[in-house]
Amino acid sequence: MPPSAIVREPAAGGLVPVRLGARFGSDRAAPTTLGEGLLSPGRVAVGPLELGVSLESHGDRALYDLAVRNASEAPVFVDSVLLGWRWEGHGARDFRFLRHGWQSWSFTGSQPLDAEGTPPFPSGEWLRGLHHARSAPPVDRAGWHESELLSVVGATPEGVACAAGVLERGGVFGLVYLRPEGGAVRIEVELVLERTLAPGESAELDPVRVALGADPVALLQQHADDHGREAGARTAARFQAGWCTWYHFFHEVDEQDLLRNVEALRTARTDFPIDVVQLDDGYQREIGDWLETNDKFPRGLAPVAEAIRTAGFHAGLWTAPFVVVPKSRPYAAHPEWLLRDPSGDGLLRGLLHPEWNPIDGSVQVLDLSRDDVVEHLEATFRAIHALGFSYHKLDFLYAAAMPATAHDPDVPRAVRLRRGLEAVRRAVGESDFMLGCGCPLGAAVGIVDGMRIGPDVAPKWGVDAPVVIPGIEATQPSTRSAVRSVLARAFMHRRLWLNDPDCLMARTNDTELSADEARTLAAAIGGTGGMLIFSDDVPELTAGDRDLVRDTLELAREVDGLAGGRAVRTLGLLEDEIPHGVVAREGPATVAALVNGEDAAVKRRLDEPAVEVELVAHASRVVREGMEPELAVFCDFDGTFLVQDVGSTLAKTHAADRRPSQWERYERGEITAWEYNLEILDRMPCPPEDLARFLDGVELSPGAPDLIDWCTERRVPFRILSDGFDRNLDRLQERFGVQFDYDCNRLWYEDDVWRIAPGYPNPACGCGTGVCKRGRLEDFRRRHPGAKLVHVGNGRVSDLCGALAADLVFAKDTLATELASRGEPFEPFENLHDVVAGLERFLAQ
Ligand code: 9PG
């Protein structure tokens, strides 16, 4: 093993430092020089610069912290800093590497590490700049392979691999260059800064990480673990299930299409247990005018958000916040807000989009180095949030970071993008869900909750030859390309954010996808455990299509539940351009999706459980083992999981006048439990601070966390069923530091009053509540017929129908009295410690 290696691993050899370098020039416009020094810790002089290198070595991995200082008497433009190693001592000769793309849609898949390097881009610098941090590679990179943000390179039969990358957080763009050199591999990481430093001025750079090991996928997972931790990744959002307008209606979407689907989703809640309804491109007056609608949405956005929310969903809105077209208001009012092209002669074109700009297709880009632009963005998103949208799909984000002439040239491109994302976050608050799309990945870590990790899906497998654009075919909408990136980037899920694999299209009508292809998309989405958003015209779905949506939702949720969503491993990552699938394991549970992205039949195998399947072209197979629960616990919230009853206490304090008479009406059977809720709580004017204060005073029932732990340890599904409200449950989970799945009603604050919507009403049941607990138990039983269902509750209103549908009931208070008077069996309990003890006894029988 090489003695001077900074990272070593018994089988995988060592990484020997080769060079430290910087590209610099006298100013931004001047040609750059590549200066070199030794890659060693300390202060290293490179031309007029002093590079500060600190190295933390941990055996098989190392972290570099870097700073660059202008040690000269004149300003220096720093284009980039680079670090290089030679990977040797592993005995392998034939390598493949992961070419990882710059932004969501850019090509990500494995390729052979041949001697030619990345082929020259065939379609010009501007187009290359849409998918690469650099619109042209430096000439000395000829013969090198290029990957963005990170890469892993490995040799399969030898089982050796090396990962390298930048732990970006919006300071620089990281690039990884690789090339074979005899039996060794040269690996260089380059940090693109593009900033002028005054004499004596210094800049800190995002950290660089390198690691060696036997398994390329494990290396990527550890790399992303460290990246997420260093950059404060937001990985804790609940599983996102939703519906989106785009992949059925595209630009043609109108208010009626949306409302029809909201209604269909509301009435089919049990078939499609989703939370988010997201309106995509097509509603806005012009690109850039996000608060005004076109004539397909004649009433504006407010009624749309209202309709989505009263149907019980979170309202989601698509925007492309950093781009504008000439007909938009910001463009007309503030030409100075726009980025100019790199030469400074004309405006920068962020993309060509004839649907957005029928005149010449050109779309311009806001200059986020300007404070007034940042303020404009913040105001826009404050208004979107105030309209009631709490899920934000932020699209075409790369445009903000394209090479351009900006108002402040020394705000690096990654920082421009970061400033824009931060403005949106400030505006929408901590609890709204931000989804990055068309986004350079590293710069968004720590700000977005979700990230599109592949190109657009399409209702067809490949890209039709006449529309192929040379150099970016792999980024153009196609299900094949989406599947490739979704499988290859699976390791990022819940390490950097929640992965958004793009939408499921389950329809068998109105699509060019074969049944196998639609199922392969579903297997890739479900098997990787990312977000599940489907995009079909709901009333048009056949029973079989609906089953595919439901099954995929279930699969994705299950996989996301394994090892905190971090159990997924890509299969065959470095073997073919399209990986062979994914597998997720925890304890006795295994979920795998075996995928054939090729155009001919292949065999795919799994070791544990031993499975070998022959898959025809574009087909897939989902394998589930050890996933069937034997037991599932459904627990009421108010008065059961919680000591207090939030709803009835609020009613007592804030609707004291109306409460007795409405309760009498309920007792006489004139109104249902949900109608009682509407009478008492809907439009209640209690200030949010009062509600927050009240929630600060409630307590968990003794044993509540133990019950959750007991279930988690035994992989027993645990679910809160509550006729209370999501907002309160969310707040209390945060306050108590506990996490659980729940089905409940919706609550939001709008125009100074509280509004409510039912979660899972069931007119077929006599309970009349917003969440029919019997309905939830029966739905679970249909899908898991072998499981024993446990219900824990205290009330005779919402808990009774659930208790009657369960195999084992823990009851207290009025539920116990009611069951006793009916002669129904139950176990009495005082607190949730008793329930844990009772469950132990039940299992021991
Ligand atoms: C709405 C769509 C959907 C989709 C996004 C994004 O290069 N292009 O011209 C290009 C057009 C559309 C596109 C990606 C690239 O899709 O990913 O989900 O929201 O915008 O216009």
Side-chain angles (χ1 to χ4, degrees):
M1 197 170 305
S4 52
I6 51 113
V7 168
R8 298 145 190 264
E9 206 271 345
L15 274 182
V16 178
V18 172
R19 64 170 177 167
L20 176 68
R23 299 180 195 275
F24 56 86
S26 53
D27 61 67
R28 181 173 294 272
T32 57
T33 307
L34 171 57
E36 287 186 37
L38 282 178
L39 176 52
S40 61
R43 294 184 184 173
V44 184
V46 174
L49 304 172
E50 182 189 87
L51 301 181
V53 179
S54 93
L55 169 66
E56 238 184 82
S57 237
H58 302 275
D60 58 0
R61 74 211 124 90
L63 195 69
Y64 286 90
D65 265 320
L66 303 159
V68 50
R69 194 174 78 87
N70 178 359
S72 79
E73 302 292 311
V76 177
F77 173 72
V78 183
D79 176 79
S80 67
V81 169
L82 65 88
L83 293 76
W85 308 264
R86 192 170 43 250
W87 177 32
E88 55 188 54
H90 40 65
R93 297 198 73 83
D94 267 334
F95 302 91
R96 288 180 66 90
F97 74 106
L98 178 70
R99 185 144 106 91
H100 182 269
W102 183 49
Q103 50 118 321
S104 306
W105 306 323
S106 313
F107 173 88
T108 297
S110 81
Q111 297 192 327
L113 190 76
D114 58 30
E116 276 83 74
T118 299
F121 189 78
S123 301
E125 291 193 4
W126 175 78
L127 194 64
R128 193 182 130 96
L130 269 58
H131 289 283
H132 297 80
R134 273 190 165 131
S135 53
V139 286
D140 52 83
R141 290 301 180 189
W144 292 80
H145 288 276
E146 185 188 42
S147 180
E148 318 236 358
L149 180 65
L150 54 80
S151 181
V152 66
V153 52
T156 300
E158 293 85 355
V160 295
C162 173
V166 179
L167 307 186
E168 285 185 30
R169 48 194 156 189
V172 299
F173 287 124
L175 292 164
V176 182
Y177 291 98
L178 308 115
R179 73 168 204 222
E181 196 176 71
V185 177
R186 288 281 304 276
I187 299 169
E188 299 210 333
V189 170
E190 208 160 328
L191 303 102
V192 180
L193 180 67
E194 298 173 340
R195 181 176 149 192
T196 304
L197 295 179
E201 194 183 3
S202 55
E204 305 230 333
L205 305 175
D206 295 340
V208 170
R209 185 184 181 281
V210 285
L212 292 176
D215 172 4
V217 175
L219 285 182
L220 288 173
Q221 292 179 330
Q222 291 150 11
H223 186 93
D225 279 331
D226 285 357
H227 188 177
R229 203 174 36 250
E230 289 272 328
R234 298 171 63 100
T235 56
R238 57 181 47 250
F239 178 78
Q240 297 288 308
W243 180 85
C244 161
T245 56
W246 182 250
Y247 296 93
H248 183 91
F249 296 105
F250 298 98
H251 288 109
E252 308 304 314
V253 65
D254 65 23
E255 189 184 323
Q256 284 319 307
D257 294 331
L258 180 69
L259 297 182
R260 228 171 12 86
N261 275 279
V262 168
E263 184 52 18
L265 290 163
R266 188 183 68 76
T267 51
R269 188 101 208 194
T270 311
D271 290 351
F272 308 116
I274 63 163
D275 303 307
V276 179
V277 170
Q278 182 244 312
L279 173 57
D280 214 280
D281 188 2
Y283 67 88
Q284 67 282 351
R285 177 185 172 272
E286 293 288 346
I287 292 294
D289 298 329
W290 308 113
L291 302 173
E292 290 174 76
T293 50
N294 55 41
D295 51 18
K296 294 189 285 107
F297 287 79
R299 301 185 302 149
L301 281 176
V304 169
E306 162 87 11
I308 296 174
R309 292 169 68 167
T310 44
F313 303 102
H314 297 298
L317 190 69
W318 174 92
T319 54
F322 306 153
V323 293
V324 295
V325 292
K327 283 168 80 180
S328 70
R329 302 201 196 275
Y331 183 108
H334 296 285
E336 74 283 6
W337 282 6
L338 307 176
L339 286 173
R340 304 189 69 77
D341 69 19
S343 71
D345 294 343
L347 293 176
L348 174 71
R349 198 183 254 176
L351 74 153
L352 275 175
H353 200 312
E355 305 259 10
W356 290 354
N357 175 358
I359 300 188
D360 68 353
S362 76
V363 178
Q364 275 72 33
V365 189
L366 293 176
D367 180 352
L368 294 162
S369 75
R370 297 177 63 99
D371 292 339
D372 46 7
V373 171
V374 169
E375 280 157 27
H376 162 76
L377 263 180
E378 212 176 315
T380 305
F381 277 87
R382 241 186 261 119
I384 291 174
H385 174 82
L387 281 168
F389 292 98
S390 55
Y391 174 106
H392 310 274
K393 176 174 173 183
L394 309 165
D395 208 350
F396 293 88
L397 300 182
Y398 71 87
M402 284 173 75
T405 304
H407 167 72
D408 182 348
D410 288 314
V411 176
R413 293 190 280 129
V415 179
R416 281 209 307 257
L417 170 58
R418 187 81 172 181
R419 278 165 55 97
L421 289 172
E422 283 167 348
V424 176
R425 176 55 78 192
R426 277 197 301 280
V428 303
E430 285 297 310
S431 32
D432 278 15
F433 191 91
M434 282 172 61
L435 173 67
C437 187
C439 184
L441 270 68
V445 181
I447 303 184
V448 298
D449 303 286
M451 177 64 86
R452 248 297 272 293
I453 42 97
D456 288 16
V457 298
K460 58 183 165 212
W461 181 253
V463 184
D464 295 338
V467 299
V468 165
I469 304 172
I472 63 165
E473 173 180 357
T475 75
Q476 293 182 259
S478 89
T479 294
R480 175 187 190 273
S481 297
V483 165
R484 183 199 59 237
S485 292
V486 167
L487 298 175
R489 282 172 165 162
F491 68 94
M492 295 178 164
H493 182 57
R494 291 221 189 257
R495 292 188 169 90
L496 301 179
W497 42 59
L498 272 62
N499 275 6
D500 169 17
D502 204 10
C503 296
L504 173 67
M505 294 161 295
R507 57 186 178 268
T508 37
N509 297 318
D510 224 348
T511 178
E512 292 168 38
L513 287 174
S514 71
D516 271 341
E517 290 164 349
R519 282 174 184 277
T520 291
L521 175 62
I525 295 174
T528 52
M531 301 164 47
L532 188 126
I533 315 288
F534 77 108
S535 191
D536 296 296
D537 192 13
V538 178
E540 298 295 311
L541 292 178
T542 65
D545 303 343
R546 292 163 90 100
D547 286 345
L548 182 60
V549 176
R550 181 66 208 250
D551 293 347
T552 310
L553 255 167
E554 183 89 354
L555 183 68
R557 228 186 258 280
E558 275 178 356
V559 171
D560 187 48
L562 295 175
R566 291 185 292 274
V568 182
R569 291 176 43 83
T570 303
L571 300 168
L573 176 71
L574 292 186
E575 279 164 52
D576 286 299
E577 190 172 287
I578 302 183
H580 298 173
V582 279
V583 59
R585 300 180 205 278
E586 191 189 14
T590 300
V591 182
L594 304 176
V595 170
N596 178 11
E598 312 298 326
D599 297 333
V602 298
K603 281 210 173 71
R604 294 274 184 252
R605 35 185 316 248
L606 196 66
D607 295 337
E608 231 349 279
V611 175
E612 184 167 291
V613 287
E614 164 115 0
L615 296 173
V616 300
H618 313 168
S620 56
R621 173 76 58 85
V622 172
V623 179
R624 293 167 77 257
E625 200 175 88
M627 293 298 294
E628 273 316 305
E630 289 170 20
L631 191 69
V633 176
F634 296 87
C635 183
D636 169 48
F637 195 68
D638 290 83
T640 302
F641 197 79
L642 210 61
V643 174
Q644 292 80 359
D645 186 315
V646 175
S648 75
T649 312
L650 280 180
K652 275 182 203 146
T653 36
H654 291 275
D657 48 337
R658 276 166 299 145
R659 202 178 86 99
S661 59
Q662 295 301 339
W663 183 254
E664 275 169 31
R665 290 181 67 203
Y666 168 71
E667 289 275 291
R668 287 199 298 269
E670 292 167 20
I671 54 173
T672 65
W674 179 253
E675 285 161 348
Y676 170 79
N677 261 337
L678 281 175
E679 294 289 346
I680 300 289
L681 299 174
D682 199 33
R683 303 184 192 277
M684 183 180 72
C686 150
E689 308 79 66
D690 286 11
L691 178 56
R693 207 168 318 115
F694 170 64
L695 291 178
D696 281 344
V698 301
E699 308 143 77
L700 285 183
S701 171
D706 306 74
L707 177 58
I708 292 188
D709 290 347
W710 189 91
C711 290
T712 311
E713 280 158 23
R714 286 158 189 78
R715 301 195 40 76
V716 169
F718 175 88
R719 207 168 182 86
I720 292 285
L721 298 184
S722 171
D723 207 24
F725 297 95
D726 55 350
R727 190 181 150 118
N728 299 342
L729 294 183
D730 290 345
R731 220 188 175 96
L732 290 171
Q733 288 189 73
E734 220 168 278
R735 210 192 114 208
F736 294 121
V738 293
Q739 270 211 320
F740 47 72
D741 290 331
Y742 61 67
D743 293 324
C744 68
N745 302 306
R746 310 268 163 173
L747 172 71
W748 68 98
Y749 196 66
E750 181 181 281
D751 299 331
D752 302 327
V753 294
W754 292 98
R755 301 300 316 276
I756 63 173
Y760 290 89
N762 178 9
C765 180
C767 69
T769 61
V771 174
C772 169
K773 297 187 179 179
R774 180 180 87 174
R776 305 313 301 138
L777 264 73
E778 284 174 348
D779 182 57
F780 190 90
R781 203 188 286 288
R782 254 193 307 282
R783 287 174 293 113
H784 306 285
K788 294 268 184 260
L789 308 190
V790 179
H791 181 89
V792 188
N794 77 323
R796 74 191 157 98
V797 177
S798 82
D799 285 323
L800 183 62
C801 75
L804 294 174
D807 300 301
L808 172 64
V809 179
F810 292 90
K812 65 176 180 178
D813 306 340
T814 55
L815 177 62
T817 318
E818 183 70 29
L819 290 173
S821 77
R822 291 170 179 240
E824 294 284 344
F826 67 92
E827 296 226 6
F829 74 99
E830 282 292 320
N831 62 43
L832 298 176
H833 288 303
D834 306 335
V835 172
V836 170
L839 289 169
E840 287 281 357
R841 283 197 301 277
F842 181 72
L843 278 196
Q845 281 170 20

